[in-house]
């Protein structure tokens, strides 16, 4: 698998991040098995597909918290979280603040940037 295919995978993730982006859908898009895509993605990027997807979703959600007045639950649903609670738990693990406290107290965020 070429680096260009990995770049295609990353492009696909970024384009589908607010949709139901799954390893299976991405691997189908690039024409390889899920297992092979997962292994090669990790080998070339140094991070698993799942962790990359989660970190990107949370980074973009953090940006939305700072740049919009959208309700937290709407942001949570936008990035595929099933509930406010699930989003808050994930968000807290990543940023060590609840989404509401983050919105009130943080003025700038260090994002997990797109790779490649």
């Amino acid at each position: 698998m070429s680096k260009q295919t990995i770049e295609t995978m990353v492009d696909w993730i970024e384009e589908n991040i607010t949709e139901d982006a799954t390893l299976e859908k991405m691997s189908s898009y690039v024409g390889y098995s899920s297992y092979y895509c997962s292994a090669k993605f990790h080998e070339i990027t140094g991070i698993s597909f799942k962790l990359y997807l989660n970190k990107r979703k949370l980074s973009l959600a953090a940006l939305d918290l700072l740049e919009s007045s959208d309700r937290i639950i709407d942001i949570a649903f936008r990035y595929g979280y099933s509930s406010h609670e699930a989003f808050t738990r994930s968000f807290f693990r990543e940023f060590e603040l609840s989404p509401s406290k983050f919105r009130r107290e943080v003025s700038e965020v260090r994002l997990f940037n797109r790779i490649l």
Side-chain angles (χ1 to χ4, degrees), residues 31-50:
Y32 291 98
S33 74
S34 298
Y35 175 80
Y36 188 69
C37 284
S38 178
K40 289 300 181 180
F41 188 90
H42 188 268
E43 178 184 313
I44 292 173
T45 65
I47 188 170
S48 72
F49 169 84
K50 183 177 178 180

Side-chain angles (χ1 to χ4, degrees), residues 54-85:
N54 287 337
K55 286 184 166 291
R56 286 295 294 146
K57 282 182 177 187
L58 289 169
S59 288
L60 294 171
L63 199 56
D64 284 358
L65 286 168
L66 297 180
E67 294 180 348
S68 77
S69 58
D70 294 348
R71 297 180 318 158
I72 292 171
I73 189 68
D74 293 333
I75 294 170
F77 288 154
R78 180 177 307 136
Y79 291 101
Y81 291 89
S82 59
S83 67
H84 187 288
E85 293 78 17

